[in-house]
PDB file of all heavy atoms in Angstrom:
ATOM      1  N   TYR A   6      -0.576  -4.029  10.864  1.00 91.00           N
ATOM      2  CA  TYR A   6       0.297  -3.992   9.687  1.00 91.00           C
ATOM      3  C   TYR A   6       0.135  -5.262   8.860  1.00 91.00           C
ATOM      4  O   TYR A   6       0.219  -5.227   7.622  1.00 91.00           O
ATOM      5  CB  TYR A   6       1.762  -3.829  10.108  1.00 91.00           C
ATOM      6  CG  TYR A   6       2.072  -2.490  10.729  1.00 91.00           C
ATOM      7  CD1 TYR A   6       2.409  -2.390  12.076  1.00 91.00           C
ATOM      8  CD2 TYR A   6       2.035  -1.322   9.973  1.00 91.00           C
ATOM      9  CE1 TYR A   6       2.695  -1.164  12.662  1.00 91.00           C
ATOM     10  CE2 TYR A   6       2.326  -0.089  10.538  1.00 91.00           C
ATOM     11  CZ  TYR A   6       2.649  -0.015  11.883  1.00 91.00           C
ATOM     12  OH  TYR A   6       2.925   1.207  12.448  1.00 91.00           O
ATOM     13  N   ILE A  37      -1.544  -0.579 -13.406  1.00 98.00           N
ATOM     14  CA  ILE A  37      -1.214  -1.060 -12.065  1.00 98.00           C
ATOM     15  C   ILE A  37      -1.255   0.097 -11.071  1.00 98.00           C
ATOM     16  O   ILE A  37      -1.745  -0.054  -9.939  1.00 98.00           O
ATOM     17  CB  ILE A  37       0.168  -1.737 -12.053  1.00 98.00           C
ATOM     18  CG1 ILE A  37       0.126  -3.033 -12.876  1.00 98.00           C
ATOM     19  CG2 ILE A  37       0.632  -2.028 -10.622  1.00 98.00           C
ATOM     20  CD1 ILE A  37       1.468  -3.722 -13.009  1.00 98.00           C
ATOM     21  N   GLY A  42      -4.260   2.817  -6.642  1.00 97.00           N
ATOM     22  CA  GLY A  42      -5.079   3.932  -6.186  1.00 97.00           C
ATOM     23  C   GLY A  42      -6.454   3.486  -5.733  1.00 97.00           C
ATOM     24  O   GLY A  42      -6.997   4.002  -4.745  1.00 97.00           O
ATOM     25  N   MET A  83       5.492   4.300  -7.490  1.00 97.00           N
ATOM     26  CA  MET A  83       4.599   4.491  -6.352  1.00 97.00           C
ATOM     27  C   MET A  83       5.253   5.377  -5.294  1.00 97.00           C
ATOM     28  O   MET A  83       4.609   6.280  -4.741  1.00 97.00           O
ATOM     29  CB  MET A  83       4.228   3.132  -5.748  1.00 97.00           C
ATOM     30  CG  MET A  83       3.312   3.188  -4.540  1.00 97.00           C
ATOM     31  SD  MET A  83       4.251   3.231  -2.989  1.00 97.00           S
ATOM     32  CE  MET A  83       2.933   3.401  -1.795  1.00 97.00           C
ATOM     33  N   ASN A 147      10.849  28.446 -18.659  1.00 98.00           N
ATOM     34  CA  ASN A 147      11.704  27.883 -19.700  1.00 98.00           C
ATOM     35  C   ASN A 147      12.848  27.125 -19.041  1.00 98.00           C
ATOM     36  O   ASN A 147      13.461  27.624 -18.089  1.00 98.00           O
ATOM     37  CB  ASN A 147      12.287  28.988 -20.590  1.00 98.00           C
ATOM     38  CG  ASN A 147      11.268  29.554 -21.560  1.00 98.00           C
ATOM     39  OD1 ASN A 147      10.977  28.947 -22.588  1.00 98.00           O
ATOM     40  ND2 ASN A 147      10.701  30.711 -21.208  1.00 98.00           N
ATOM     41  N   GLY A 148      13.113  25.937 -19.554  1.00 97.00           N
ATOM     42  CA  GLY A 148      14.213  25.180 -18.979  1.00 97.00           C
ATOM     43  C   GLY A 148      14.279  23.761 -19.472  1.00 97.00           C
ATOM     44  O   GLY A 148      13.470  23.316 -20.295  1.00 97.00           O
ATOM     45  N   TRP A 152      16.721  13.155 -16.510  1.00 96.00           N
ATOM     46  CA  TRP A 152      16.602  11.974 -15.647  1.00 96.00           C
ATOM     47  C   TRP A 152      15.299  11.996 -14.829  1.00 96.00           C
ATOM     48  O   TRP A 152      15.289  11.603 -13.675  1.00 96.00           O
ATOM     49  CB  TRP A 152      17.800  11.823 -14.704  1.00 96.00           C
ATOM     50  CG  TRP A 152      19.116  12.175 -15.298  1.00 96.00           C
ATOM     51  CD1 TRP A 152      19.942  13.193 -14.923  1.00 96.00           C
ATOM     52  CD2 TRP A 152      19.772  11.521 -16.395  1.00 96.00           C
ATOM     53  NE1 TRP A 152      21.064  13.215 -15.709  1.00 96.00           N
ATOM     54  CE2 TRP A 152      20.984  12.203 -16.621  1.00 96.00           C
ATOM     55  CE3 TRP A 152      19.441  10.433 -17.215  1.00 96.00           C
ATOM     56  CZ2 TRP A 152      21.876  11.841 -17.617  1.00 96.00           C
ATOM     57  CZ3 TRP A 152      20.335  10.073 -18.209  1.00 96.00           C
ATOM     58  CH2 TRP A 152      21.523  10.764 -18.395  1.00 96.00           C
ATOM     59  N   ILE A 248      14.098  -4.786  -2.944  1.00 98.00           N
ATOM     60  CA  ILE A 248      15.011  -5.307  -3.968  1.00 98.00           C
ATOM     61  C   ILE A 248      15.918  -6.378  -3.374  1.00 98.00           C
ATOM     62  O   ILE A 248      16.106  -7.454  -3.967  1.00 98.00           O
ATOM     63  CB  ILE A 248      15.843  -4.162  -4.572  1.00 98.00           C
ATOM     64  CG1 ILE A 248      14.965  -3.294  -5.485  1.00 98.00           C
ATOM     65  CG2 ILE A 248      17.042  -4.703  -5.355  1.00 98.00           C
ATOM     66  CD1 ILE A 248      15.682  -2.081  -6.052  1.00 98.00           C
ATOM     67  N   GLY A 251      13.926  -9.545  -2.712  1.00 98.00           N
ATOM     68  CA  GLY A 251      13.601 -10.249  -3.951  1.00 98.00           C
ATOM     69  C   GLY A 251      14.789 -11.026  -4.493  1.00 98.00           C
ATOM     70  O   GLY A 251      14.652 -12.181  -4.913  1.00 98.00           O
ATOM     71  N   LYS A 269      23.596 -30.639  -3.788  1.00 97.00           N
ATOM     72  CA  LYS A 269      22.867 -29.387  -3.962  1.00 97.00           C
ATOM     73  C   LYS A 269      23.805 -28.228  -3.612  1.00 97.00           C
ATOM     74  O   LYS A 269      24.608 -28.323  -2.670  1.00 97.00           O
ATOM     75  CB  LYS A 269      21.639 -29.338  -3.050  1.00 97.00           C
ATOM     76  CG  LYS A 269      20.586 -30.399  -3.352  1.00 97.00           C
ATOM     77  CD  LYS A 269      19.893 -30.128  -4.680  1.00 97.00           C
ATOM     78  CE  LYS A 269      18.721 -31.093  -4.885  1.00 97.00           C
ATOM     79  NZ  LYS A 269      18.072 -30.899  -6.196  1.00 97.00           N
ATOM     80  N   ALA A 294      15.349   1.336   7.772  1.00 98.00           N
ATOM     81  CA  ALA A 294      14.212   1.931   7.060  1.00 98.00           C
ATOM     82  C   ALA A 294      13.017   2.108   7.992  1.00 98.00           C
ATOM     83  O   ALA A 294      12.370   3.173   8.004  1.00 98.00           O
ATOM     84  CB  ALA A 294      13.839   1.070   5.858  1.00 98.00           C
ATOM     85  N   ALA A 315      19.744   5.912   6.631  1.00 98.00           N
ATOM     86  CA  ALA A 315      18.967   4.803   6.057  1.00 98.00           C
ATOM     87  C   ALA A 315      19.145   4.742   4.548  1.00 98.00           C
ATOM     88  O   ALA A 315      19.341   3.666   3.973  1.00 98.00           O
ATOM     89  CB  ALA A 315      17.492   4.955   6.420  1.00 98.00           C
ATOM     90  N   LYS A 316      19.092   5.894   3.890  1.00 98.00           N
ATOM     91  CA  LYS A 316      19.261   5.932   2.437  1.00 98.00           C
ATOM     92  C   LYS A 316      20.638   5.414   2.032  1.00 98.00           C
ATOM     93  O   LYS A 316      20.778   4.602   1.115  1.00 98.00           O
ATOM     94  CB  LYS A 316      19.057   7.370   1.942  1.00 98.00           C
ATOM     95  CG  LYS A 316      19.516   7.665   0.513  1.00 98.00           C
ATOM     96  CD  LYS A 316      18.675   6.986  -0.535  1.00 98.00           C
ATOM     97  CE  LYS A 316      18.936   7.538  -1.924  1.00 98.00           C
ATOM     98  NZ  LYS A 316      20.301   7.364  -2.427  1.00 98.00           N
ATOM     99  N   TYR A 339      23.873 -14.270 -14.721  1.00 97.00           N
ATOM    100  CA  TYR A 339      24.331 -13.239 -15.649  1.00 97.00           C
ATOM    101  C   TYR A 339      23.435 -13.133 -16.877  1.00 97.00           C
ATOM    102  O   TYR A 339      23.616 -12.258 -17.711  1.00 97.00           O
ATOM    103  CB  TYR A 339      25.769 -13.533 -16.070  1.00 97.00           C
ATOM    104  CG  TYR A 339      26.485 -12.377 -16.715  1.00 97.00           C
ATOM    105  CD1 TYR A 339      26.742 -11.205 -16.004  1.00 97.00           C
ATOM    106  CD2 TYR A 339      26.906 -12.442 -18.045  1.00 97.00           C
ATOM    107  CE1 TYR A 339      27.392 -10.140 -16.599  1.00 97.00           C
ATOM    108  CE2 TYR A 339      27.559 -11.380 -18.647  1.00 97.00           C
ATOM    109  CZ  TYR A 339      27.801 -10.223 -17.920  1.00 97.00           C
ATOM    110  OH  TYR A 339      28.447  -9.165 -18.509  1.00 97.00           O
ATOM    111  N   GLU A 346      19.456 -10.905 -11.895  1.00 98.00           N
ATOM    112  CA  GLU A 346      20.107  -9.968 -12.816  1.00 98.00           C
ATOM    113  C   GLU A 346      19.315  -8.664 -12.885  1.00 98.00           C
ATOM    114  O   GLU A 346      19.890  -7.562 -12.885  1.00 98.00           O
ATOM    115  CB  GLU A 346      20.222 -10.615 -14.204  1.00 98.00           C
ATOM    116  CG  GLU A 346      20.877  -9.747 -15.271  1.00 98.00           C
ATOM    117  CD  GLU A 346      19.885  -8.884 -16.044  1.00 98.00           C
ATOM    118  OE1 GLU A 346      18.662  -9.133 -15.961  1.00 98.00           O
ATOM    119  OE2 GLU A 346      20.341  -7.939 -16.722  1.00 98.00           O
TER     120      GLU A 346
END
Side-chain angles (χ1 to χ4, degrees):
Y6 293 112
I37 293 176
M83 179 268 176
N147 285 281
W152 322 116
I248 287 176
K269 296 291 187 183
K316 166 69 167 62
Y339 196 64
E346 180 270 346

